[in-house]
């Protein structure tokens, strides 16, 4: 699959996720590019479908996933600690399809809580500026790469991904809780 074919394949799925959860399609598409190299990583392959690097353990299981059914895949992955890239072995979620992965990620953004019971990411849903959205996601600890948000913005610019963003938010992120 070419890079263009990846973008064209994942874009409508990201738009579905945006309509359902309020997380910008442009950012989701760019995250799949960053996380999978346009669908080329072992996690993104058929039978695994993890295009966002969703780990098995997320925020001490403070939320229930409707879209992940318990499948996992263990692999070596880079993490950054104090700005230093380190390789660790970790366990990732596997899905029945790409849509489930995107929905699971957005549900995590909506429902995951901190130890004190406050939602960690919920208030970023509905953000209409891609740079603000991904910056807040990175700052709050979804990814450890200190340049993650900048990389996402480069993908958005390269592919003009904001053209996939929609004004059609259902508002479920506001109604849940």
């Amino acid at each position: 699959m070419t890079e263009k074919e990846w973008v064209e394949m994942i874009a409508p799925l990201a738009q579905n996720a945006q309509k359902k959860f309020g997380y910008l399609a442009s950012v989701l598409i760019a995250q799949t590019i960053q996380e999978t190299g346009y669908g080329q990583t072992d996690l993104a392959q058929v039978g695994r479908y993890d295009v966002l690097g969703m780990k098995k353990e997320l925020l001490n299981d403070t939320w229930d996933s409707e879209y992940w059914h318990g499948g996992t895949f263990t692999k070596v992955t880079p993490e950054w600690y104090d700005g230093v890239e380190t390789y660790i072995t970790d366990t990732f979620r596997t899905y029945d399809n790409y849509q489930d992965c995107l929905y699971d990620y957005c549900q995590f953004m909506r429902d995951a809580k901190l130890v004190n019971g406050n939602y960690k990411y919920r208030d970023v849903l509905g953000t209409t500026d891609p740079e603000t959205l991904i910056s807040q996601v990175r700052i709050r600890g979804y990814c450890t790469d200190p340049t993650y948000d900048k990389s996402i913005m480069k993908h958005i610019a390269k592919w003009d991904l904001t053209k996939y963003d929609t004004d059609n938010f259902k508002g479920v992120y506001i109604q849940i809780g």
Side-chain angles (χ1 to χ4, degrees):
M1 181 176 302
T2 67
E3 292 177 358
K4 183 177 188 239
E5 289 170 335
W6 176 262
V7 171
E8 291 172 350
M9 184 277 300
I10 207 77
L13 305 178
Q15 287 177 311
N16 291 341
Q18 180 179 343
K19 288 174 188 172
K20 187 172 181 75
F21 292 97
Y23 192 97
L24 286 175
S26 60
V27 176
L28 272 177
I29 298 163
Q31 285 180 273
T32 71
I33 293 168
Q34 183 67 24
E35 296 285 346
T36 71
Y38 298 92
Q40 298 303 307
T41 63
D42 49 3
L43 272 176
Q45 300 306 304
V46 171
R48 297 190 185 118
Y49 297 107
D50 186 342
V51 294
L52 291 163
M54 293 288 287
K55 293 185 178 171
K56 178 185 176 198
E57 302 289 329
L58 292 167
L59 275 181
N60 303 311
D61 296 326
T62 59
W63 61 291
D64 293 318
S65 174
E66 297 173 36
Y67 305 100
W68 175 59
H69 306 295
T72 62
F73 181 72
T74 302
K75 64 175 272 168
V76 174
T77 186
E79 294 291 340
W80 284 258
Y81 301 106
D82 297 321
V84 177
E85 185 177 26
T86 305
Y87 285 84
I88 65 167
T89 300
D90 212 336
T91 303
F92 293 82
R93 296 170 178 226
T94 60
Y95 299 93
D96 294 336
N97 53 63
Y98 294 129
Q99 188 72 77
D100 282 353
C101 178
L102 297 180
Y103 281 174
D104 190 43
Y105 174 82
C106 290
Q107 185 181 9
F108 172 72
M109 289 289 144
R110 183 188 73 193
D111 295 345
K113 295 181 180 178
L114 299 166
V115 175
N116 66 9
N118 291 333
Y119 291 100
K120 186 166 185 176
Y121 301 101
R122 182 175 285 188
D123 64 315
V124 303
L125 297 174
T127 300
T128 58
D129 175 57
E131 191 167 14
T132 300
L133 173 59
I134 197 58
S135 177
Q136 285 300 306
V137 168
R138 186 192 63 77
I139 288 167
R140 294 175 193 201
Y142 179 75
C143 52
T144 58
D145 178 353
T147 63
Y148 190 78
D149 49 345
K150 290 174 181 45
S151 298
I152 297 304
M153 292 310 299
K154 286 179 184 175
H155 295 305
I156 289 171
K158 176 180 179 178
W159 292 101
D160 186 26
L161 297 179
T162 56
K163 69 185 173 195
Y164 296 107
D165 292 338
T166 174
D167 293 332
N168 185 7
F169 291 102
K170 286 188 176 180
V172 290
Y173 53 91
I174 295 168
Q175 297 170 4
I176 303 295

